[in-house]
Coordinates of all heavy atoms in Angstrom, one line a residue:
M1 N 115.0 103.2 84.2 CA 115.3 103.9 85.4 C 114.5 103.4 86.6 O 113.3 102.9 86.4 CB 115.0 105.4 85.3 CG 115.1 106.1 86.5 SD 115.8 107.7 86.6 CE 117.5 107.5 86.0
S2 N 115.0 103.3 87.7 CA 114.4 102.7 88.9 C 113.8 103.6 89.9 O 113.8 103.5 91.1 CB 115.3 101.8 89.6 OG 115.7 100.7 88.7
I3 N 113.5 104.9 89.4 CA 112.9 105.8 90.3 C 111.3 105.7 90.2 O 110.7 105.6 89.1 CB 113.2 107.3 89.9 CG1 114.7 107.5 90.0 CG2 112.5 108.2 90.7 CD1 115.3 107.5 91.4
K4 N 110.7 105.5 91.3 CA 109.2 105.2 91.3 C 108.6 106.6 91.9 O 109.1 107.1 92.9 CB 109.0 104.0 92.2 CG 109.6 102.8 91.7 CD 109.1 102.4 90.3 CE 109.8 101.1 89.8 NZ 109.7 100.7 88.5
Y5 N 107.4 106.9 91.6 CA 106.7 108.1 91.9 C 105.4 107.7 92.6 O 104.6 108.6 92.8 CB 106.4 109.0 90.7 CG 107.6 109.4 90.1 CD1 108.2 108.9 89.0 CD2 108.5 110.5 90.7 CE1 109.4 109.3 88.3 CE2 109.7 110.9 90.1 CZ 110.1 110.3 88.9 OH 111.2 110.8 88.4
Y6 N 105.3 106.5 93.1 CA 104.0 106.2 93.8 C 103.8 107.0 95.0 O 102.7 107.3 95.4 CB 104.0 104.6 94.2 CG 105.0 104.2 95.2 CD1 104.7 104.3 96.6 CD2 106.3 103.9 94.8 CE1 105.6 103.9 97.5 CE2 107.1 103.5 95.8 CZ 106.8 103.5 97.1 OH 107.7 103.1 98.1
K7 N 104.9 107.4 95.6 CA 104.7 108.3 96.9 C 104.0 109.6 96.5 O 103.2 110.1 97.3 CB 106.1 108.6 97.5 CG 106.7 107.4 98.2 CD 108.0 107.9 98.8 CE 108.7 106.9 99.8 NZ 109.8 107.5 100.5
L8 N 104.3 110.1 95.3 CA 103.7 111.4 95.0 C 102.2 111.1 94.8 O 101.4 111.9 95.3 CB 104.3 111.8 93.6 CG 103.6 113.0 92.9 CD1 103.4 114.2 93.7 CD2 104.1 113.2 91.5
F9 N 101.8 110.0 94.1 CA 100.4 109.9 93.9 C 99.6 109.5 95.1 O 98.4 109.9 95.2 CB 100.2 108.8 92.8 CG 100.9 109.2 91.5 CD1 101.9 108.6 91.0 CD2 100.5 110.5 90.9 CE1 102.5 109.0 89.7 CE2 101.1 110.9 89.6 CZ 102.2 110.2 89.2
D10 N 100.3 108.7 96.0 CA 99.7 108.5 97.3 C 99.5 109.8 98.0 O 98.5 110.0 98.7 CB 100.6 107.6 98.2 CG 100.1 107.2 99.5 OD1 98.9 106.7 99.5 OD2 100.7 107.3 100.5
L11 N 100.5 110.7 98.1 CA 100.4 111.9 98.8 C 99.1 112.8 98.2 O 98.4 113.4 99.1 CB 101.7 112.7 98.6 CG 101.7 114.2 99.2 CD1 101.7 114.1 100.8 CD2 103.0 114.9 98.7
L12 N 99.2 112.8 96.8 CA 98.0 113.6 96.3 C 96.6 113.1 96.7 O 95.8 113.8 97.1 CB 98.1 113.6 94.7 CG 99.2 114.2 94.0 CD1 99.3 113.9 92.6 CD2 99.1 115.7 94.3
N13 N 96.5 111.7 96.8 CA 95.3 111.1 97.2 C 95.0 111.4 98.7 O 93.8 111.7 99.0 CB 95.5 109.5 97.1 CG 94.2 108.8 97.3 OD1 93.1 109.2 96.8 ND2 94.3 107.7 98.0
R14 N 96.0 111.3 99.5 CA 95.8 111.6 100.9 C 95.3 113.1 101.2 O 94.7 113.4 102.1 CB 97.0 111.3 101.8 CG 97.2 109.9 102.0 CD 98.4 109.5 102.9 NE 99.7 109.6 102.1 CZ 100.6 110.4 102.4 NH1 100.7 111.1 103.5 NH2 101.7 110.4 101.7
R15 N 95.8 114.0 100.2 CA 95.4 115.4 100.3 C 94.1 115.7 99.5 O 93.7 116.8 99.6 CB 96.6 116.2 99.7 CG 97.8 116.3 100.7 CD 98.7 117.2 100.3 NE 99.9 117.2 101.1 CZ 101.0 118.1 101.0 NH1 101.0 119.0 100.0 NH2 102.0 117.9 101.8
G16 N 93.5 114.7 99.0 CA 92.3 114.8 98.3 C 92.5 115.5 96.9 O 91.6 116.3 96.5
L17 N 93.7 115.4 96.3 CA 94.0 116.0 95.0 C 94.0 115.0 93.9 O 94.3 113.8 94.2 CB 95.3 116.7 95.2 CG 95.4 117.9 96.1 CD1 96.9 118.3 96.2 CD2 94.6 119.1 95.7
K18 N 93.7 115.4 92.8 CA 93.7 114.5 91.6 C 95.1 114.8 90.9 O 95.7 115.8 91.0 CB 92.7 114.7 90.6 CG 91.3 114.3 91.3 CD 90.2 114.5 90.4 CE 88.8 114.2 91.1 NZ 87.7 114.6 90.2
K19 N 95.5 113.8 90.0 CA 96.7 114.1 89.2 C 96.6 115.4 88.5 O 97.5 116.1 88.3 CB 96.9 112.9 88.2 CG 97.3 111.6 88.9 CD 97.6 110.6 87.9 CE 98.0 109.4 88.5 NZ 98.3 108.3 87.5
T20 N 95.4 115.7 87.9 CA 95.2 116.8 87.1 C 95.3 118.1 88.0 O 95.8 119.2 87.4 CB 94.0 116.9 86.4 OG1 92.8 116.6 87.3 CG2 93.8 115.7 85.4
D21 N 95.1 118.0 89.2 CA 95.3 119.2 90.1 C 96.9 119.5 90.2 O 97.2 120.7 90.3 CB 94.9 118.9 91.5 CG 93.3 118.7 91.6 OD1 92.5 119.4 90.8 OD2 92.8 117.9 92.4
L22 N 97.6 118.5 89.9 CA 99.1 118.8 90.1 C 99.5 119.7 88.9 O 100.5 120.5 89.0 CB 99.8 117.4 90.1 CG 101.3 117.6 90.3 CD1 101.7 118.2 91.6 CD2 101.9 116.1 90.2
L23 N 98.8 119.6 87.8 CA 99.2 120.4 86.6 C 99.2 121.9 86.9 O 100.1 122.5 86.6 CB 98.2 120.1 85.5 CG 98.2 118.7 84.9 CD1 97.1 118.6 83.8 CD2 99.5 118.4 84.3
K24 N 98.1 122.3 87.7 CA 98.0 123.7 88.0 C 98.9 124.1 89.1 O 99.5 125.1 89.1 CB 96.5 124.0 88.2 CG 95.7 124.0 87.0 CD 94.2 124.5 87.3 CE 93.4 124.3 86.2 NZ 92.0 124.5 86.4
L25 N 98.9 123.2 90.2 CA 99.6 123.6 91.3 C 101.1 123.7 91.1 O 101.8 124.6 91.6 CB 99.4 122.5 92.4 CG 98.1 122.4 93.1 CD1 98.0 121.1 93.9 CD2 97.9 123.6 93.9
A26 N 101.7 122.7 90.3 CA 103.2 122.9 90.0 C 103.5 123.4 88.7 O 104.7 123.5 88.4 CB 103.6 121.4 90.2
N27 N 102.6 123.9 88.0 CA 102.7 124.4 86.6 C 103.6 123.5 85.8 O 104.6 123.8 85.2 CB 103.4 125.8 86.8 CG 103.4 126.5 85.4 OD1 102.5 126.3 84.6 ND2 104.4 127.4 85.2
I28 N 103.1 122.3 85.7 CA 103.7 121.3 84.8 C 102.7 120.9 83.7 O 101.6 121.1 83.7 CB 104.2 120.0 85.6 CG1 103.0 119.2 86.2 CG2 105.3 120.3 86.6 CD1 103.3 117.9 86.8
S29 N 103.3 120.3 82.6 CA 102.4 120.0 81.4 C 101.9 118.5 81.5 O 102.3 117.7 82.3 CB 103.4 120.0 80.2 OG 104.4 118.9 80.2
S30 N 100.9 118.3 80.8 CA 100.3 117.0 80.6 C 101.2 115.9 80.2 O 101.2 114.9 80.8 CB 99.1 117.1 79.6 OG 98.0 117.8 80.1
P31 N 102.1 116.2 79.3 CA 103.1 115.2 78.9 C 104.1 114.8 80.1 O 104.4 113.6 80.3 CB 103.9 115.7 77.8 CG 103.0 116.7 77.1 CD 102.2 117.2 78.2
T32 N 104.4 115.8 80.9 CA 105.3 115.5 82.1 C 104.4 114.7 83.2 O 105.0 113.8 83.7 CB 105.6 116.9 82.7 OG1 106.4 117.5 81.8 CG2 106.4 116.6 84.1
L33 N 103.1 115.0 83.3 CA 102.3 114.2 84.2 C 102.3 112.7 83.7 O 102.3 111.8 84.6 CB 101.0 114.8 84.2 CG 100.0 114.1 85.2 CD1 100.5 114.0 86.7 CD2 98.6 114.7 85.2
A34 N 102.2 112.6 82.4 CA 102.2 111.2 81.8 C 103.5 110.6 82.1 O 103.5 109.3 82.4 CB 101.9 111.2 80.3
K35 N 104.6 111.2 82.0 CA 106.0 110.7 82.4 C 106.0 110.2 83.7 O 106.5 109.0 84.1 CB 107.0 111.7 82.1 CG 107.4 111.8 80.6 CD 108.5 112.9 80.5 CE 109.0 113.0 79.0 NZ 110.1 113.9 79.0
L36 N 105.5 111.1 84.7 CA 105.5 110.6 86.1 C 104.6 109.4 86.3 O 105.0 108.5 87.0 CB 104.9 111.8 86.9 CG 105.7 113.0 87.2 CD1 105.0 114.1 87.6 CD2 106.9 112.7 88.1
S37 N 103.4 109.3 85.5 CA 102.6 108.1 85.8 C 103.3 106.9 85.2 O 103.0 105.8 85.9 CB 101.3 108.4 85.0 OG 100.5 109.4 85.6
R38 N 104.0 107.0 84.3 CA 104.8 105.8 83.6 C 106.1 105.5 84.3 O 106.7 104.5 84.2 CB 105.1 106.0 82.2 CG 103.9 106.0 81.3 CD 104.3 106.1 79.8 NE 105.2 107.1 79.5 CZ 104.9 108.3 78.9 NH1 103.6 108.6 78.7 NH2 105.8 109.2 78.6
G39 N 106.6 106.4 85.2 CA 107.8 106.2 85.9 C 109.0 106.6 85.0 O 110.2 106.0 85.1
D40 N 108.8 107.4 84.0 CA 109.8 107.8 83.0 C 110.7 108.9 83.6 O 110.4 109.5 84.7 CB 109.2 108.5 81.7 CG 108.5 107.3 80.8 OD1 108.8 106.2 81.1 OD2 107.9 107.7 79.9
I41 N 111.8 109.2 82.9 CA 112.8 110.2 83.5 C 112.2 111.6 83.5 O 111.6 112.0 82.4 CB 114.1 110.1 82.7 CG1 114.7 108.7 82.9 CG2 115.0 111.2 83.0 CD1 115.9 108.5 81.9
I42 N 112.3 112.4 84.4 CA 112.0 113.8 84.5 C 113.1 114.6 85.0 O 114.1 114.0 85.6 CB 110.6 114.1 85.3 CG1 110.8 113.7 86.8 CG2 109.5 113.4 84.7 CD1 109.8 114.1 87.7
T43 N 113.2 115.8 84.8 CA 114.2 116.7 85.2 C 114.2 117.1 86.6 O 113.0 117.1 87.2 CB 114.2 118.0 84.4 OG1 113.1 118.8 84.7 CG2 114.4 117.7 82.9
T44 N 115.2 117.6 87.2 CA 115.3 118.0 88.7 C 114.4 119.3 88.8 O 113.9 119.6 89.8 CB 116.6 118.2 89.1 OG1 117.4 119.0 88.2 CG2 117.4 116.9 89.2
E45 N 114.3 120.0 87.6 CA 113.5 121.3 87.7 C 112.0 120.9 87.9 O 111.4 121.6 88.6 CB 113.6 122.0 86.3 CG 112.8 123.2 86.2 CD 112.8 123.9 84.8 OE1 113.7 123.5 84.0 OE2 112.1 124.8 84.6
I46 N 111.5 119.8 87.4 CA 110.1 119.3 87.6 C 110.0 118.9 88.9 O 109.0 119.3 89.7 CB 109.8 118.2 86.5 CG1 109.8 118.7 85.2 CG2 108.4 117.6 87.0 CD1 108.9 119.8 84.8
I47 N 111.0 118.2 89.5 CA 110.9 117.7 90.9 C 111.0 118.9 91.9 O 110.1 118.9 92.7 CB 112.1 116.9 91.1 CG1 112.0 115.5 90.3 CG2 112.2 116.5 92.7 CD1 113.3 114.7 90.3
E48 N 111.7 119.9 91.5 CA 111.6 121.1 92.3 C 110.2 121.8 92.3 O 109.8 122.2 93.4 CB 112.7 122.1 91.8 CG 112.8 123.4 92.7 CD 113.9 124.4 92.2 OE1 114.1 124.3 90.9 OE2 114.3 125.1 92.9
K49 N 109.6 121.9 91.1 CA 108.4 122.6 91.0 C 107.4 121.8 91.8 O 106.6 122.4 92.6 CB 107.9 122.6 89.5 CG 108.6 123.6 88.6 CD 107.9 123.5 87.3 CE 108.4 124.6 86.4 NZ 107.8 124.6 85.0
I50 N 107.4 120.5 91.8 CA 106.4 119.7 92.6 C 106.6 119.8 94.1 O 105.7 120.1 94.9 CB 106.6 118.2 92.1 CG1 105.9 118.0 90.7 CG2 105.7 117.3 93.1 CD1 106.3 116.7 90.1
C51 N 107.9 119.8 94.5 CA 108.3 120.0 95.9 C 107.8 121.4 96.4 O 107.3 121.5 97.5 CB 109.7 119.8 96.1 SG 110.3 118.0 96.0
I52 N 108.0 122.4 95.7 CA 107.6 123.8 96.0 C 106.1 123.7 96.1 O 105.5 124.3 97.1 CB 108.2 124.8 95.1 CG1 109.7 124.9 95.2 CG2 107.5 126.1 95.3 CD1 110.3 125.7 94.2
A53 N 105.3 123.2 95.2 CA 104.0 123.4 95.1 C 103.3 122.5 96.3 O 102.3 123.1 96.8 CB 103.4 122.8 93.8
L54 N 103.9 121.4 96.6 CA 103.3 120.6 97.7 C 104.0 120.8 99.0 O 103.6 120.2 99.9 CB 103.4 119.2 97.2 CG 102.6 118.8 95.9 CD1 102.9 117.3 95.6 CD2 101.2 119.0 96.0
K55 N 105.0 121.6 99.0 CA 105.7 121.9 100.2 C 106.3 120.6 100.9 O 106.0 120.2 102.1 CB 104.9 122.6 101.3 CG 104.5 124.0 100.8 CD 103.5 124.7 101.7 CE 103.2 126.1 101.3 NZ 102.7 126.3 100.1
V56 N 107.0 119.8 100.0 CA 107.6 118.6 100.5 C 109.1 118.4 100.0 O 109.6 119.3 99.4 CB 106.8 117.3 100.0 CG1 105.4 117.3 100.4 CG2 106.8 117.3 98.4
Q57 N 109.7 117.4 100.4 CA 111.1 117.1 100.0 C 111.0 116.0 98.9 O 110.0 115.3 98.9 CB 111.9 116.6 101.2 CG 112.2 117.6 102.3 CD 113.1 118.7 101.7 OE1 114.1 118.3 101.2 NE2 112.7 120.0 102.1
P58 N 112.1 116.0 98.1 CA 112.1 114.9 97.1 C 111.8 113.5 97.5 O 111.1 112.8 96.8 CB 113.5 115.1 96.4 CG 113.8 116.5 96.7 CD 113.2 116.9 98.0
G59 N 112.3 113.2 98.6 CA 112.1 111.9 99.2 C 110.7 111.5 99.6 O 110.2 110.5 99.7
D60 N 109.9 112.6 99.7 CA 108.5 112.5 100.0 C 107.6 112.1 98.8 O 106.5 111.7 98.9 CB 107.8 113.8 100.5 CG 108.5 114.1 101.9 OD1 108.9 113.2 102.7 OD2 108.6 115.4 102.2
I61 N 108.2 112.3 97.6 CA 107.4 112.0 96.4 C 108.0 111.0 95.5 O 107.4 110.6 94.4 CB 107.2 113.3 95.5 CG1 108.6 113.8 95.1 CG2 106.4 114.3 96.3 CD1 108.4 115.1 94.1
M62 N 109.2 110.6 95.7 CA 109.9 109.5 95.0 C 110.7 108.6 95.7 O 111.2 108.9 96.8 CB 110.6 110.2 93.8 CG 111.6 111.2 94.3 SD 112.3 112.2 92.9 CE 114.0 111.7 93.0
E63 N 111.0 107.5 95.1 CA 111.9 106.5 95.8 C 112.7 105.7 94.6 O 112.2 105.4 93.6 CB 111.0 105.5 96.5 CG 111.8 104.4 97.2 CD 110.9 103.4 98.0 OE1 109.7 103.2 97.7 OE2 111.5 102.9 99.0
Y64 N 114.0 105.5 95.0 CA 114.8 104.7 94.2 C 114.5 103.2 94.5 O 114.6 102.8 95.7 CB 116.3 105.0 94.4 CG 117.1 104.0 93.8 CD1 117.4 103.9 92.4 CD2 117.8 103.0 94.5 CE1 118.1 103.0 91.7 CE2 118.6 102.0 93.9 CZ 118.8 102.1 92.6 OH 119.6 101.1 91.9
V65 N 114.2 102.4 93.6 CA 114.0 101.0 93.7 C 114.9 100.2 92.9 O 114.9 100.4 91.6 CB 112.5 100.6 93.5 CG1 112.4 99.0 93.7 CG2 111.6 101.4 94.3
S66 N 115.8 99.4 93.5 CA 116.8 98.7 92.8 C 116.2 97.5 92.1 O 115.3 96.9 92.6 CB 117.9 98.2 93.7 OG 118.8 97.3 93.0
N67 N 116.6 97.3 90.8 CA 116.1 96.3 90.1 C 117.2 95.1 89.9 O 117.0 94.3 89.1 CB 115.5 96.6 88.8 CG 116.4 97.4 87.9 OD1 117.6 97.6 88.2 ND2 115.8 98.0 86.8
V68 N 118.3 95.3 90.6 CA 119.4 94.3 90.6 C 119.2 93.2 91.5 O 118.8 93.5 92.8 CB 120.6 95.1 91.0 CG1 121.8 94.0 91.0 CG2 121.0 96.1 89.9
K69 N 119.1 92.0 91.1 CA 118.8 90.8 92.0 C 120.2 90.3 92.5 O 121.0 90.0 91.7 CB 118.0 89.8 91.3 CG 116.6 90.4 90.9 CD 115.8 89.3 90.2 CE 114.5 90.0 89.8 NZ 113.6 89.2 89.3
N70 N 120.2 90.1 93.8 CA 121.3 89.5 94.3 C 121.3 88.0 94.2 O 120.2 87.5 94.4 CB 121.5 89.9 95.8 CG 121.8 91.3 96.0 OD1 122.5 91.9 95.2 ND2 121.5 91.8 97.1
D71 N 122.4 87.3 94.0 CA 122.5 85.8 93.9 C 122.6 85.1 95.3 O 122.9 84.0 95.4 CB 123.6 85.4 93.0 CG 123.3 85.9 91.6 OD1 122.1 85.9 91.2 OD2 124.3 86.0 90.8
E72 N 122.6 86.0 96.3 CA 122.9 85.4 97.7 C 121.7 84.7 98.2 O 120.5 84.9 98.0 CB 123.2 86.6 98.7 CG 124.4 87.3 98.3 CD 124.8 88.5 99.1 OE1 123.8 89.4 99.3 OE2 125.8 88.6 99.7

Protein backbone atom coordinates (compact mmCIF):
# COMPACT_ATOMS: atom_id res chain seq x y z
CA MET A 1 0.00 0.00 0.00
CA SER A 2 1.17 3.49 -0.77
CA ILE A 3 -0.34 5.39 2.14
CA LYS A 4 2.30 7.15 4.21
CA TYR A 5 1.74 8.42 7.74
CA TYR A 6 4.78 10.69 8.09
CA LYS A 7 2.41 13.66 8.35
CA LEU A 8 0.92 12.16 11.51
CA PHE A 9 4.29 11.73 13.17
CA ASP A 10 5.41 15.20 12.09
CA LEU A 11 2.19 16.64 13.56
CA LEU A 12 2.76 14.81 16.84
CA ASN A 13 6.33 16.13 16.97
CA ARG A 14 5.22 19.73 16.30
CA ARG A 15 2.67 19.42 19.12
CA GLY A 16 5.29 18.06 21.50
CA LEU A 17 3.64 14.64 21.65
CA LYS A 18 5.22 11.20 21.48
CA LYS A 19 3.87 8.24 19.55
CA THR A 20 2.88 6.65 22.83
CA ASP A 21 0.78 9.73 23.69
CA LEU A 22 -1.33 8.88 20.67
CA LEU A 23 -2.27 5.55 22.27
CA LYS A 24 -4.19 7.29 25.04
CA LEU A 25 -5.44 10.28 23.06
CA ALA A 26 -6.97 8.22 20.26
CA ASN A 27 -7.63 5.07 22.28
CA ILE A 28 -5.68 2.86 19.88
CA SER A 29 -3.60 -0.22 20.63
CA SER A 30 0.17 -0.71 20.51
CA PRO A 31 -0.10 -3.08 17.53
CA THR A 32 -2.06 -0.39 15.66
CA LEU A 33 0.63 2.16 16.44
CA ALA A 34 3.20 -0.29 15.12
CA LYS A 35 1.17 -0.64 11.91
CA LEU A 36 1.13 3.13 11.51
CA SER A 37 4.90 3.28 12.03
CA ARG A 38 5.44 0.61 9.36
CA GLY A 39 2.94 2.14 6.95
CA ASP A 40 0.73 -0.95 7.08
CA ILE A 41 -2.99 -0.98 6.33
CA ILE A 42 -5.27 0.37 9.07
CA THR A 43 -9.03 0.76 9.15
CA THR A 44 -10.96 3.94 8.55
CA GLU A 45 -12.21 3.56 12.13
CA ILE A 46 -8.64 4.08 13.37
CA ILE A 47 -8.18 7.06 11.06
CA GLU A 48 -11.40 8.52 12.44
CA LYS A 49 -10.25 8.03 16.06
CA ILE A 50 -6.96 9.78 15.33
CA CYS A 51 -8.67 12.66 13.52
CA ILE A 52 -11.12 13.18 16.38
CA ALA A 53 -8.38 13.02 19.02
CA LEU A 54 -6.09 15.46 17.21
CA LYS A 55 -8.90 17.58 15.68
CA VAL A 56 -7.56 17.19 12.13
CA GLN A 57 -8.68 15.94 8.74
CA PRO A 58 -7.40 12.66 7.21
CA GLY A 59 -5.23 14.57 4.74
CA ASP A 60 -3.44 16.17 7.69
CA ILE A 61 -2.14 12.80 8.91
CA MET A 62 -1.65 10.70 5.78
CA GLU A 63 -0.71 10.93 2.13
CA TYR A 64 -1.05 8.69 -0.89
CA VAL A 65 2.31 8.23 -2.59
CA SER A 66 2.28 6.52 -5.96
CA ASN A 67 4.94 3.90 -6.48
CA VAL A 68 4.17 3.59 -10.17
CA LYS A 69 7.02 4.87 -12.33
CA ASN A 70 6.22 6.53 -15.61
CA ASP A 71 8.32 5.70 -18.65
CA GLU A 72 8.03 9.25 -19.92
